Amino acid sequence: METNDISACERLVMKAIWDTPEEMALQEIMDKVNEENGKSWKPQTVSTFLARLVRKGFLSSYRKGRYSYYQPVVSKEDFWKATMNENAHFFAQNDMAEMAFRLCKDMLSKNDVKELKKKLDEI
């Protein structure tokens, strides 16, 4: 899976779907994306993103009555891992330890690093 295959807008739609345990129809997806991201997208806009995501294999859809419902084909966890692997490959020549070090050094607070150490000790 290439995570660059989907646009930033399509990622917002996917996140709304991933973060909701039940299946959703267009109106529900549109409402959630708009509310969470300060957007004012219309049904046609969201419908276009949904159709693209289905075509790219990130979502599946089925009809129930007059509505189409959408379900993720790619899990949030799989997308997360693929994104991290692509970034590690691009920025750190596949060195995950270097990638983690850079994140800790450049982006995490001391408290975040402390919490990360605890989590690393668990694995």
Side-chain angles (χ1 to χ4, degrees), residues 6-19 29 32-34 36-39 41 49 53:
I6 67 173
S7 70
C9 294
E10 291 165 346
R11 285 176 191 238
L12 295 179
V13 172
M14 284 302 299
K15 185 168 181 334
I17 293 170
W18 281 325
D19 291 348
I29 296 167
K32 185 170 177 111
V33 171
N34 285 342
E36 291 180 352
N37 300 287
K39 302 290 184 188
W41 289 347
F49 294 141
L53 288 163

PDB file of all heavy atoms in Angstrom, residues 6-19 29 32-34 36-39 41 49 53:
ATOM      1  N   ILE A   6      -3.279   8.597  -1.456  1.00  0.00           N
ATOM      2  CA  ILE A   6      -4.482   9.357  -1.096  1.00  0.00           C
ATOM      3  C   ILE A   6      -4.094  10.771  -0.687  1.00  0.00           C
ATOM      4  O   ILE A   6      -3.053  11.001  -0.087  1.00  0.00           O
ATOM      5  CB  ILE A   6      -5.341   8.653  -0.015  1.00  0.00           C
ATOM      6  CG1 ILE A   6      -4.643   8.584   1.326  1.00  0.00           C
ATOM      7  CG2 ILE A   6      -5.744   7.272  -0.476  1.00  0.00           C
ATOM      8  CD1 ILE A   6      -5.538   8.059   2.429  1.00  0.00           C
ATOM      9  N   SER A   7      -4.967  11.698  -1.029  1.00  0.00           N
ATOM     10  CA  SER A   7      -4.717  13.117  -0.760  1.00  0.00           C
ATOM     11  C   SER A   7      -4.992  13.439   0.707  1.00  0.00           C
ATOM     12  O   SER A   7      -5.566  12.637   1.449  1.00  0.00           O
ATOM     13  CB  SER A   7      -5.632  13.958  -1.644  1.00  0.00           C
ATOM     14  OG  SER A   7      -6.983  13.822  -1.212  1.00  0.00           O
ATOM     15  N   ALA A   8      -4.607  14.633   1.112  1.00  0.00           N
ATOM     16  CA  ALA A   8      -4.860  15.095   2.475  1.00  0.00           C
ATOM     17  C   ALA A   8      -6.365  15.122   2.768  1.00  0.00           C
ATOM     18  O   ALA A   8      -6.793  14.750   3.867  1.00  0.00           O
ATOM     19  CB  ALA A   8      -4.248  16.479   2.687  1.00  0.00           C
ATOM     20  N   CYS A   9      -7.159  15.515   1.801  1.00  0.00           N
ATOM     21  CA  CYS A   9      -8.616  15.548   1.988  1.00  0.00           C
ATOM     22  C   CYS A   9      -9.176  14.140   2.134  1.00  0.00           C
ATOM     23  O   CYS A   9     -10.049  13.887   2.981  1.00  0.00           O
ATOM     24  CB  CYS A   9      -9.293  16.271   0.821  1.00  0.00           C
ATOM     25  SG  CYS A   9      -8.883  18.020   0.727  1.00  0.00           S
ATOM     26  N   GLU A  10      -8.670  13.228   1.348  1.00  0.00           N
ATOM     27  CA  GLU A  10      -9.111  11.837   1.448  1.00  0.00           C
ATOM     28  C   GLU A  10      -8.706  11.242   2.792  1.00  0.00           C
ATOM     29  O   GLU A  10      -9.446  10.442   3.374  1.00  0.00           O
ATOM     30  CB  GLU A  10      -8.544  11.013   0.295  1.00  0.00           C
ATOM     31  CG  GLU A  10      -9.143  11.385  -1.046  1.00  0.00           C
ATOM     32  CD  GLU A  10      -8.372  10.858  -2.241  1.00  0.00           C
ATOM     33  OE1 GLU A  10      -7.216  10.402  -2.095  1.00  0.00           O
ATOM     34  OE2 GLU A  10      -8.931  10.907  -3.351  1.00  0.00           O
ATOM     35  N   ARG A  11      -7.575  11.665   3.316  1.00  0.00           N
ATOM     36  CA  ARG A  11      -7.147  11.203   4.645  1.00  0.00           C
ATOM     37  C   ARG A  11      -8.128  11.669   5.718  1.00  0.00           C
ATOM     38  O   ARG A  11      -8.407  10.935   6.671  1.00  0.00           O
ATOM     39  CB  ARG A  11      -5.742  11.713   4.975  1.00  0.00           C
ATOM     40  CG  ARG A  11      -4.653  11.000   4.243  1.00  0.00           C
ATOM     41  CD  ARG A  11      -3.297  11.631   4.537  1.00  0.00           C
ATOM     42  NE  ARG A  11      -2.294  11.104   3.647  1.00  0.00           N
ATOM     43  CZ  ARG A  11      -1.196  10.486   4.059  1.00  0.00           C
ATOM     44  NH1 ARG A  11      -0.947  10.337   5.332  1.00  0.00           N
ATOM     45  NH2 ARG A  11      -0.337  10.017   3.186  1.00  0.00           N
ATOM     46  N   LEU A  12      -8.631  12.880   5.592  1.00  0.00           N
ATOM     47  CA  LEU A  12      -9.616  13.373   6.565  1.00  0.00           C
ATOM     48  C   LEU A  12     -10.871  12.515   6.546  1.00  0.00           C
ATOM     49  O   LEU A  12     -11.445  12.198   7.594  1.00  0.00           O
ATOM     50  CB  LEU A  12      -9.977  14.835   6.286  1.00  0.00           C
ATOM     51  CG  LEU A  12      -8.871  15.868   6.457  1.00  0.00           C
ATOM     52  CD1 LEU A  12      -9.398  17.261   6.104  1.00  0.00           C
ATOM     53  CD2 LEU A  12      -8.304  15.837   7.859  1.00  0.00           C
ATOM     54  N   VAL A  13     -11.297  12.120   5.363  1.00  0.00           N
ATOM     55  CA  VAL A  13     -12.467  11.255   5.225  1.00  0.00           C
ATOM     56  C   VAL A  13     -12.167   9.887   5.838  1.00  0.00           C
ATOM     57  O   VAL A  13     -12.981   9.343   6.598  1.00  0.00           O
ATOM     58  CB  VAL A  13     -12.897  11.131   3.746  1.00  0.00           C
ATOM     59  CG1 VAL A  13     -13.974  10.082   3.577  1.00  0.00           C
ATOM     60  CG2 VAL A  13     -13.374  12.484   3.220  1.00  0.00           C
ATOM     61  N   MET A  14     -10.999   9.337   5.538  1.00  0.00           N
ATOM     62  CA  MET A  14     -10.631   8.044   6.105  1.00  0.00           C
ATOM     63  C   MET A  14     -10.565   8.112   7.627  1.00  0.00           C
ATOM     64  O   MET A  14     -11.050   7.210   8.310  1.00  0.00           O
ATOM     65  CB  MET A  14      -9.279   7.571   5.555  1.00  0.00           C
ATOM     66  CG  MET A  14      -9.299   7.044   4.149  1.00  0.00           C
ATOM     67  SD  MET A  14     -10.412   5.633   3.872  1.00  0.00           S
ATOM     68  CE  MET A  14      -9.740   4.392   4.967  1.00  0.00           C
ATOM     69  N   LYS A  15     -10.016   9.167   8.168  1.00  0.00           N
ATOM     70  CA  LYS A  15      -9.908   9.291   9.625  1.00  0.00           C
ATOM     71  C   LYS A  15     -11.284   9.311  10.270  1.00  0.00           C
ATOM     72  O   LYS A  15     -11.508   8.669  11.304  1.00  0.00           O
ATOM     73  CB  LYS A  15      -9.115  10.534  10.012  1.00  0.00           C
ATOM     74  CG  LYS A  15      -8.880  10.615  11.512  1.00  0.00           C
ATOM     75  CD  LYS A  15      -7.878  11.663  11.870  1.00  0.00           C
ATOM     76  CE  LYS A  15      -7.588  11.763  13.348  1.00  0.00           C
ATOM     77  NZ  LYS A  15      -8.586  11.344  14.284  1.00  0.00           N
ATOM     78  N   ALA A  16     -12.214  10.019   9.661  1.00  0.00           N
ATOM     79  CA  ALA A  16     -13.582  10.054  10.196  1.00  0.00           C
ATOM     80  C   ALA A  16     -14.181   8.657  10.203  1.00  0.00           C
ATOM     81  O   ALA A  16     -14.859   8.261  11.166  1.00  0.00           O
ATOM     82  CB  ALA A  16     -14.443  11.000   9.362  1.00  0.00           C
ATOM     83  N   ILE A  17     -13.923   7.888   9.172  1.00  0.00           N
ATOM     84  CA  ILE A  17     -14.458   6.527   9.090  1.00  0.00           C
ATOM     85  C   ILE A  17     -13.738   5.616  10.080  1.00  0.00           C
ATOM     86  O   ILE A  17     -14.363   4.823  10.788  1.00  0.00           O
ATOM     87  CB  ILE A  17     -14.370   6.010   7.643  1.00  0.00           C
ATOM     88  CG1 ILE A  17     -15.321   6.829   6.754  1.00  0.00           C
ATOM     89  CG2 ILE A  17     -14.676   4.515   7.568  1.00  0.00           C
ATOM     90  CD1 ILE A  17     -15.158   6.591   5.277  1.00  0.00           C
ATOM     91  N   TRP A  18     -12.421   5.719  10.153  1.00  0.00           N
ATOM     92  CA  TRP A  18     -11.656   4.894  11.091  1.00  0.00           C
ATOM     93  C   TRP A  18     -12.068   5.148  12.535  1.00  0.00           C
ATOM     94  O   TRP A  18     -12.092   4.234  13.344  1.00  0.00           O
ATOM     95  CB  TRP A  18     -10.162   5.171  10.957  1.00  0.00           C
ATOM     96  CG  TRP A  18      -9.483   4.514   9.805  1.00  0.00           C
ATOM     97  CD1 TRP A  18      -9.737   3.282   9.267  1.00  0.00           C
ATOM     98  CD2 TRP A  18      -8.404   5.059   9.045  1.00  0.00           C
ATOM     99  NE1 TRP A  18      -8.884   3.021   8.224  1.00  0.00           N
ATOM    100  CE2 TRP A  18      -8.058   4.092   8.065  1.00  0.00           C
ATOM    101  CE3 TRP A  18      -7.695   6.250   9.087  1.00  0.00           C
ATOM    102  CZ2 TRP A  18      -7.027   4.287   7.150  1.00  0.00           C
ATOM    103  CZ3 TRP A  18      -6.680   6.450   8.176  1.00  0.00           C
ATOM    104  CH2 TRP A  18      -6.345   5.482   7.221  1.00  0.00           C
ATOM    105  N   ASP A  19     -12.351   6.402  12.859  1.00  0.00           N
ATOM    106  CA  ASP A  19     -12.632   6.769  14.244  1.00  0.00           C
ATOM    107  C   ASP A  19     -14.062   6.484  14.679  1.00  0.00           C
ATOM    108  O   ASP A  19     -14.432   6.772  15.810  1.00  0.00           O
ATOM    109  CB  ASP A  19     -12.312   8.251  14.471  1.00  0.00           C
ATOM    110  CG  ASP A  19     -10.817   8.544  14.411  1.00  0.00           C
ATOM    111  OD1 ASP A  19     -10.019   7.570  14.416  1.00  0.00           O
ATOM    112  OD2 ASP A  19     -10.447   9.725  14.359  1.00  0.00           O
ATOM    113  N   ILE A  29     -20.747  10.898   7.371  1.00  0.00           N
ATOM    114  CA  ILE A  29     -19.326  11.134   7.113  1.00  0.00           C
ATOM    115  C   ILE A  29     -19.083  12.621   6.891  1.00  0.00           C
ATOM    116  O   ILE A  29     -18.163  13.211   7.462  1.00  0.00           O
ATOM    117  CB  ILE A  29     -18.844  10.303   5.905  1.00  0.00           C
ATOM    118  CG1 ILE A  29     -18.954   8.811   6.223  1.00  0.00           C
ATOM    119  CG2 ILE A  29     -17.416  10.689   5.512  1.00  0.00           C
ATOM    120  CD1 ILE A  29     -18.803   7.906   5.019  1.00  0.00           C
ATOM    121  N   LYS A  32     -19.340  14.573  10.178  1.00  0.00           N
ATOM    122  CA  LYS A  32     -18.187  14.330  11.057  1.00  0.00           C
ATOM    123  C   LYS A  32     -16.934  15.046  10.543  1.00  0.00           C
ATOM    124  O   LYS A  32     -16.228  15.692  11.317  1.00  0.00           O
ATOM    125  CB  LYS A  32     -17.936  12.831  11.188  1.00  0.00           C
ATOM    126  CG  LYS A  32     -16.848  12.502  12.180  1.00  0.00           C
ATOM    127  CD  LYS A  32     -16.793  11.027  12.471  1.00  0.00           C
ATOM    128  CE  LYS A  32     -15.638  10.744  13.399  1.00  0.00           C
ATOM    129  NZ  LYS A  32     -16.036  10.335  14.709  1.00  0.00           N
ATOM    130  N   VAL A  33     -16.654  14.932   9.257  1.00  0.00           N
ATOM    131  CA  VAL A  33     -15.473  15.592   8.688  1.00  0.00           C
ATOM    132  C   VAL A  33     -15.588  17.110   8.861  1.00  0.00           C
ATOM    133  O   VAL A  33     -14.629  17.768   9.282  1.00  0.00           O
ATOM    134  CB  VAL A  33     -15.281  15.231   7.199  1.00  0.00           C
ATOM    135  CG1 VAL A  33     -14.202  16.093   6.560  1.00  0.00           C
ATOM    136  CG2 VAL A  33     -14.932  13.760   7.048  1.00  0.00           C
ATOM    137  N   ASN A  34     -16.744  17.655   8.545  1.00  0.00           N
ATOM    138  CA  ASN A  34     -16.935  19.099   8.664  1.00  0.00           C
ATOM    139  C   ASN A  34     -16.773  19.572  10.107  1.00  0.00           C
ATOM    140  O   ASN A  34     -16.109  20.577  10.372  1.00  0.00           O
ATOM    141  CB  ASN A  34     -18.303  19.504   8.118  1.00  0.00           C
ATOM    142  CG  ASN A  34     -18.359  19.486   6.608  1.00  0.00           C
ATOM    143  OD1 ASN A  34     -17.332  19.503   5.930  1.00  0.00           O
ATOM    144  ND2 ASN A  34     -19.557  19.441   6.064  1.00  0.00           N
ATOM    145  N   GLU A  36     -15.222  18.053  12.722  1.00  0.00           N
ATOM    146  CA  GLU A  36     -13.896  17.824  13.304  1.00  0.00           C
ATOM    147  C   GLU A  36     -12.790  18.661  12.666  1.00  0.00           C
ATOM    148  O   GLU A  36     -11.755  18.869  13.287  1.00  0.00           O
ATOM    149  CB  GLU A  36     -13.528  16.346  13.210  1.00  0.00           C
ATOM    150  CG  GLU A  36     -14.365  15.470  14.106  1.00  0.00           C
ATOM    151  CD  GLU A  36     -14.000  14.007  14.023  1.00  0.00           C
ATOM    152  OE1 GLU A  36     -13.176  13.630  13.147  1.00  0.00           O
ATOM    153  OE2 GLU A  36     -14.548  13.234  14.816  1.00  0.00           O
ATOM    154  N   ASN A  37     -13.017  19.119  11.443  1.00  0.00           N
ATOM    155  CA  ASN A  37     -11.937  19.792  10.715  1.00  0.00           C
ATOM    156  C   ASN A  37     -12.271  21.211  10.284  1.00  0.00           C
ATOM    157  O   ASN A  37     -11.522  21.813   9.519  1.00  0.00           O
ATOM    158  CB  ASN A  37     -11.552  18.953   9.492  1.00  0.00           C
ATOM    159  CG  ASN A  37     -11.069  17.587   9.902  1.00  0.00           C
ATOM    160  OD1 ASN A  37      -9.975  17.441  10.429  1.00  0.00           O
ATOM    161  ND2 ASN A  37     -11.895  16.565   9.704  1.00  0.00           N
ATOM    162  N   GLY A  38     -13.403  21.724  10.746  1.00  0.00           N
ATOM    163  CA  GLY A  38     -13.774  23.093  10.397  1.00  0.00           C
ATOM    164  C   GLY A  38     -14.028  23.283   8.917  1.00  0.00           C
ATOM    165  O   GLY A  38     -13.777  24.358   8.371  1.00  0.00           O
ATOM    166  N   LYS A  39     -14.506  22.244   8.275  1.00  0.00           N
ATOM    167  CA  LYS A  39     -14.795  22.307   6.836  1.00  0.00           C
ATOM    168  C   LYS A  39     -16.264  22.644   6.624  1.00  0.00           C
ATOM    169  O   LYS A  39     -17.078  22.571   7.539  1.00  0.00           O
ATOM    170  CB  LYS A  39     -14.493  20.964   6.160  1.00  0.00           C
ATOM    171  CG  LYS A  39     -13.072  20.489   6.311  1.00  0.00           C
ATOM    172  CD  LYS A  39     -12.123  21.329   5.516  1.00  0.00           C
ATOM    173  CE  LYS A  39     -10.709  20.783   5.590  1.00  0.00           C
ATOM    174  NZ  LYS A  39      -9.746  21.687   4.987  1.00  0.00           N
ATOM    175  N   TRP A  41     -17.711  21.246   3.615  1.00  0.00           N
ATOM    176  CA  TRP A  41     -17.844  20.465   2.397  1.00  0.00           C
ATOM    177  C   TRP A  41     -19.296  20.084   2.154  1.00  0.00           C
ATOM    178  O   TRP A  41     -20.043  19.783   3.084  1.00  0.00           O
ATOM    179  CB  TRP A  41     -17.007  19.207   2.477  1.00  0.00           C
ATOM    180  CG  TRP A  41     -15.521  19.443   2.414  1.00  0.00           C
ATOM    181  CD1 TRP A  41     -14.873  20.590   2.050  1.00  0.00           C
ATOM    182  CD2 TRP A  41     -14.500  18.506   2.736  1.00  0.00           C
ATOM    183  NE1 TRP A  41     -13.517  20.422   2.107  1.00  0.00           N
ATOM    184  CE2 TRP A  41     -13.258  19.149   2.532  1.00  0.00           C
ATOM    185  CE3 TRP A  41     -14.514  17.195   3.164  1.00  0.00           C
ATOM    186  CZ2 TRP A  41     -12.043  18.506   2.743  1.00  0.00           C
ATOM    187  CZ3 TRP A  41     -13.302  16.553   3.381  1.00  0.00           C
ATOM    188  CH2 TRP A  41     -12.082  17.216   3.165  1.00  0.00           C
ATOM    189  N   PHE A  49     -14.693  12.212  -2.852  1.00  0.00           N
ATOM    190  CA  PHE A  49     -13.598  11.620  -2.086  1.00  0.00           C
ATOM    191  C   PHE A  49     -13.887  10.152  -1.780  1.00  0.00           C
ATOM    192  O   PHE A  49     -13.004   9.301  -1.867  1.00  0.00           O
ATOM    193  CB  PHE A  49     -13.349  12.387  -0.790  1.00  0.00           C
ATOM    194  CG  PHE A  49     -12.840  13.793  -0.999  1.00  0.00           C
ATOM    195  CD1 PHE A  49     -13.283  14.821  -0.198  1.00  0.00           C
ATOM    196  CD2 PHE A  49     -11.919  14.085  -1.994  1.00  0.00           C
ATOM    197  CE1 PHE A  49     -12.819  16.120  -0.377  1.00  0.00           C
ATOM    198  CE2 PHE A  49     -11.443  15.374  -2.185  1.00  0.00           C
ATOM    199  CZ  PHE A  49     -11.897  16.398  -1.368  1.00  0.00           C
ATOM    200  N   LEU A  53     -11.703   6.870  -2.891  1.00  0.00           N
ATOM    201  CA  LEU A  53     -11.175   5.934  -1.898  1.00  0.00           C
ATOM    202  C   LEU A  53     -11.619   4.502  -2.182  1.00  0.00           C
ATOM    203  O   LEU A  53     -10.859   3.559  -1.967  1.00  0.00           O
ATOM    204  CB  LEU A  53     -11.578   6.374  -0.494  1.00  0.00           C
ATOM    205  CG  LEU A  53     -10.842   7.631   0.004  1.00  0.00           C
ATOM    206  CD1 LEU A  53     -11.560   8.253   1.199  1.00  0.00           C
ATOM    207  CD2 LEU A  53      -9.394   7.304   0.352  1.00  0.00           C
TER     208      LEU A  53
END
